[in-house]
Amino acid sequence: MRTKFNGILTLLLALIVQISFAQERTISGTVSDESGPLPGVTILKKGTTQGTETDFDGNYSIQAKTGDVLVFSFVGMKSAERTIGTSNQISVVLEGDNVLDEVVVVAYGTQSKKSITGSVTTVKSEVLEKTNVASLDQALQGSAPGIQVSATSGQPGAATNVRIRGIGSINASSAPLYVVDGVPILTGDLSRLQTTSNILSSINTNDIESISVLKDASSASLYGSRAANGVILITTKAGKAGKTKFTVSSEYGIGDETLYDDNAMTSAQLKQYTIAALDNAFGAGSGEGIYNTGLPWAWDGVTDTNWYKETHRDKTTSQKINFSANGGNEKTTFYSSLGYFEQEGLIKTSDLTRVSTALNLKHKATDKLSIRFNINASHSKLNGPDDGGSFANPELASYFLLPNYPVYNEDGTYNLSFFSTYNPVALFERNFTTLKTTKVFGKTDITYEIIDNLEFNSSFGAEYIALEEEQYYNPDFGAGRNVNGSASAYYTRRYNYNWINQLNYSFDINDDNNFKLKLGYEIQQDDRYQINASGENYATDKLTNLQLTSKPTEASSFGTRNSFLSVFSRIDYNFKNKYFFDFSFRRDGSSKFGSNNRYGNFWAAGFAWSISDEAFFGDNFINSLKLRTSYGVNGNSAGIGNFDGLGLYGFGDYNGQGTSFPNQVANPDLRWELNKPFNVGLDFGMFNSRITGTLEYYKRTTSDLLLDKPLSTTSGFTVITENIGEMENSGIEVNLNTSNIQTDNFSWDTNFNFSTNKNEITKLDEGKDILNGTQIRRVGEHARSWYIRKWAGVNPDNGEPQWYINGKDGAVTSDYNEAERAIQGQSVPEIIASMTNTFKYNNFDLSFQLNYSGNYQVYDGWAFYTYNAGEFLSFNKNSNVLDYWQQPGDITDTPKPVWGNGRDATSSSTRFLYDGDHIRLRNIQFGYSVPEEYLSKAGISGLRLYLTGTNLLTYTFDDKLNFDPEVGITGQSDLRQANLKTYSLGVNLTF
């Protein structure tokens, strides 16, 4: 009986459990991605059509029972499944979808990565935010294959050299086109009194969502005559529907120089070297007497000034503060921000400050009409030192000024008794050069759906830039002394606007044939206006205003403009989402070129094959595989004068009468430089995309290079600009992403990119060489080839300098003029590579980036003075020359010093040409995110603390190299401020 009762009880309990499990209940939670809650996520009960969507805060609720499977799906994200257990709360974080399904910003729109036939690399905001730099182009260093970024100076906000797949021109620009939210913008150094500046530093990198780098014909040729050197597309941050999200970030840093040649001679060392030079010139034992009685700068035995420390900061400081808010509803979204940035340079008067703001609004007025408006504005002030070969340049002064001159006299006043009274420390107090830049960028975008799948878009963007520059030289010492003080005020205004209208239509035939058509019309105009005013002779040294000068020396104004008028089209076709074809065509008209070639046609064609979608591919460890190729023609109109194709007249004064005269010969056939890039690539993903990457080969041929062709002087002109040269760039690129370890509380990801570039000139005017100082342009050689004599060391018998006679090897000579010049390498790296590792453990994260540049040479042009073997002894010297030859049999690389006779030992040769190969720890960041459970009660959704280092370590492969090898495209050290090494502490707060 008991057994029967137990059986009945068991069945009854089982029935109750079954009924309870079958009962539906409310399941709720939040769906988000790595950036926050996701509105509009679809949640379905698997195997049914029953479901719901998340609201604007990413929240959802659904009726389901234990054992049901919920499927969470969202465009561009991997679907996720969760089985309902005992909990009524299920929250999900969605991850990005297959690497080939990622949406990428491209020319005039967006595309899925799977459909792209060209070469596009995307850099996301997280990468940009890990660097402590003033401009976005500097933040790109090491972030993508095929793009070389090199700083030309450590001056905050300095110009940066950016090259995509090599050097694209000789006389025109090789810089890429920059496009912000679809609008081409002005770039480069727009200042005229500063030694260096960069208008891109007016953009707050915190307002950037992503950057796409377009490198081949298929991706870039829709920009036509401006696309030859690649295109950099900048997308600013936009609002997301949902609860308003506030973010506050602050960062403070200190810095010093990356590499510093701390080898200037002390007073005692300079005395020793000078006496040796005198002995070798006038006889052994005579030097000290001549030194003590015949040299006005003889050492007093006490003074030993370190001019570098006197002119440079021990540590620099930097600070940036950013505040942003974004949110909205299904109709309207917004993003707004306010930012402050300041950074000091190494030289004591060098610094940059910037205030910026941004507003991005998007409104869906009706089901068919949407409007977007965004504006970015900034105001910055740059204080920069003088540059060049003057002692007003503190960088030069710190190496050249004698250590036995004191900064101050005994009474505390500045010592002005040397070198035409150029005391750089005194100049810091009395002179200044400032640049104030105001930039406003705005864009209005209207999109209207005419019928299903047919869309009209009109966007108008404008950029207004005002630069105010002031320079003052005091009347008591320095450059202004002989004119009783001088001042200059320069004003530059740039207004650049762009209007684009386009129709976009998409349709399919039988679901397998999918078409997208684009037709557009675009106009752009760039207006430039500038005023120059200068004067001298001040009545007082207490006021610095230009209007107080009594003698005007300059008063002029200048205005110019250039315009583009374009039509463009593109067709994209794919068959079964496996085979992709695209063709683009653009016709550009430019005011810059000759009347016979004012319009040009540019095009590109691309093909891609998604091999992994083929039936024969099957299931294996490779989950995505795509082959793509492209070819086309685009042009280069950057860096070309507005009137280079016209015959021009100059105006001046002749015997008190106004006069005009021809000063440029016309060339109505002048046209664009043409770039013909070929690209083939393979995109892949393996082991469920744990490993993804790209392999590419490219070859770009540049023809119709703009070069100066000599004319007979009987014509009245010396040269005419013609399209007469050709050049090639080719190489391979590798981009590899690996998810090395993924566990519940630990992950390790790696990005590695590697690229090569071989540059070769293939045609010049009549095959003639073009000499350019220490470099040469020659058919069959690199466009930046060093062309100098080859150093053969010091003759151990007599201490005289030697060079190889044929410029290569074999016989040597001590007669500099007898030695031949030869090509000795190039100034641009042929190999660049980068590796970034990211580790996450619970709430801790660590990332670091190593960069490599290889197979190039850099030259120390100022060594002519600092290493000179007997001349310019009124300048200080590098202490390395103390290892000079003294007696027969000495083996050294430094000739004996001879007073007044350097014997060309420091004239241009490979003696001061160094291998620039180096590895740099570009970025490192360590962070900690405070757990949410400690923050939620305070209404805080995120708090992260971090430490960042930039340029912390640099390893050079040439032991003799004693300056930073990152010197820009020219490859030459130019006595500008060293690049900064910085350490920063920051905090990010979200609520």
Side-chain angles (χ1 to χ4, degrees), residues 280-352:
N280 289 328
F282 302 108
S286 63
E288 186 161 3
I290 299 173
Y291 179 87
N292 291 327
T293 59
L295 298 184
W297 60 84
W299 184 36
D300 61 6
V302 178
T303 306
D304 195 7
T305 302
N306 186 321
W307 285 103
Y308 187 90
K309 291 184 177 180
E310 294 291 342
T311 55
H312 290 67
R313 294 182 172 102
D314 293 331
K315 297 292 181 183
T316 67
T317 63
S318 62
Q319 184 176 8
K320 56 182 176 181
I321 302 172
N322 289 291
F323 170 81
S324 67
N326 83 83
N329 54 34
E330 73 278 11
K331 290 286 187 181
T332 305
T333 59
F334 74 93
Y335 170 86
S336 63
S337 73
L338 180 65
Y340 175 79
F341 177 88
E342 67 174 31
Q343 187 177 58
E344 293 178 334
L346 288 167
I347 292 176
K348 290 182 177 179
T349 56
S350 168
D351 59 73
L352 170 70

Side-chain angles (χ1 to χ4, degrees), residues 808-826:
K808 299 177 181 178
D809 51 26
V812 300
T813 179
S814 290
D815 183 351
Y816 182 79
N817 294 319
E818 187 181 355
E820 295 180 1
R821 300 169 72 177
I823 291 176
Q824 312 288 356
Q826 71 280 333

Side-chain angles (χ1 to χ4, degrees), residues 23-260:
Q23 287 179 336
E24 289 192 339
R25 63 189 195 273
T26 300
I27 306 297
S28 60
T30 301
V31 183
S32 59
D33 64 4
E34 60 181 9
S35 63
L38 282 174
V41 177
T42 300
I43 302 102
L44 290 174
K45 288 194 291 185
K46 192 171 183 178
T48 74
T49 58
Q50 301 173 13
T52 186
E53 288 187 350
T54 56
D55 62 17
F56 303 122
D57 296 322
N59 299 319
Y60 78 94
S61 65
I62 189 172
Q63 296 294 312
K65 62 181 182 294
T66 301
D68 282 347
V69 177
L70 299 182
V71 180
F72 300 80
S73 59
F74 189 71
V75 176
M77 311 295 289
K78 291 181 180 178
S79 295
E81 296 185 359
R82 297 291 186 271
T83 302
I84 296 175
T86 58
S87 175
N88 293 331
Q89 290 286 326
I90 298 179
S91 293
V92 176
V93 178
L94 296 182
E95 299 178 355
D97 205 345
N98 187 298
V99 64
L100 293 182
D101 293 331
E102 178 186 348
V103 176
V104 178
V105 177
V106 295
Y108 299 95
T110 60
Q111 278 184 266
S112 69
K113 191 169 185 179
K114 184 176 184 178
S115 67
I116 291 176
T117 65
S119 181
V120 181
T121 301
T122 300
V123 181
K124 297 184 178 179
S125 58
E126 306 90 79
V127 176
L128 305 176
E129 292 167 1
K130 289 182 179 179
T131 58
N132 185 18
V133 293
S135 61
L136 64 93
D137 47 0
Q138 293 176 344
L140 286 173
Q141 190 176 82
S143 61
I147 177 169
Q148 181 197 350
V149 181
S150 54
T152 59
S153 170
Q155 163 77 33
T160 302
N161 290 148
V162 178
R163 299 292 181 265
I164 297 176
R165 291 184 168 179
I167 298 172
S169 182
I170 293 178
N171 286 340
S173 174
S174 292
L177 172 70
Y178 289 80
V179 179
V180 176
D181 292 334
V183 179
I185 63 170
L186 301 173
T187 58
D189 185 355
L190 305 184
S191 67
R192 294 182 288 136
L193 290 177
Q194 284 289 339
T195 58
T196 179
S197 72
N198 185 353
I199 194 61
L200 286 176
S201 66
S202 64
I203 299 176
N204 185 355
T205 55
N206 195 66
D207 291 329
I208 296 174
E209 180 66 31
S210 67
I211 295 177
S212 294
V213 183
L214 314 184
K215 296 181 285 186
D216 75 322
S218 176
S219 63
S221 285
L222 207 54
Y223 287 103
S225 63
R226 296 168 291 179
N229 297 309
V231 182
I232 295 179
L233 303 180
I234 301 163
T235 302
T236 60
K237 292 180 178 178
K240 294 183 178 179
K243 181 181 177 181
T244 300
K245 176 181 176 182
F246 298 94
T247 302
V248 180
S249 64
S250 179
E251 184 176 311
Y252 179 82
I254 60 173
D256 55 20
E257 58 277 321
T258 49
L259 288 177
Y260 165 46

Side-chain angles (χ1 to χ4, degrees), residues 464 517 561 586 690:
Y464 177 87
L517 307 178
R561 71 173 49 160
R586 183 178 181 117
R690 290 284 297 270

Side-chain angles (χ1 to χ4, degrees), residues 544-593:
T544 62
N545 305 70
L546 172 62
Q547 62 264 38
L548 298 179
T549 58
S550 63
K551 182 181 178 182
T553 56
E554 180 184 17
S556 63
S557 66
F558 171 78
T560 184
R561 71 173 49 160
N562 66 77
S563 303
F564 278 93
L565 175 64
S566 311
V567 292
F568 59 90
S569 62
R570 180 182 173 99
I571 179 171
D572 293 271
Y573 166 72
N574 81 71
F575 178 68
K576 291 187 175 182
N577 209 31
K578 290 190 295 186
Y579 310 101
F580 302 87
F581 303 85
D582 61 60
F583 179 80
S584 64
F585 175 81
R586 183 178 181 117
R587 181 168 174 81
D588 273 341
S590 172
S591 63
K592 290 185 176 183
F593 295 100

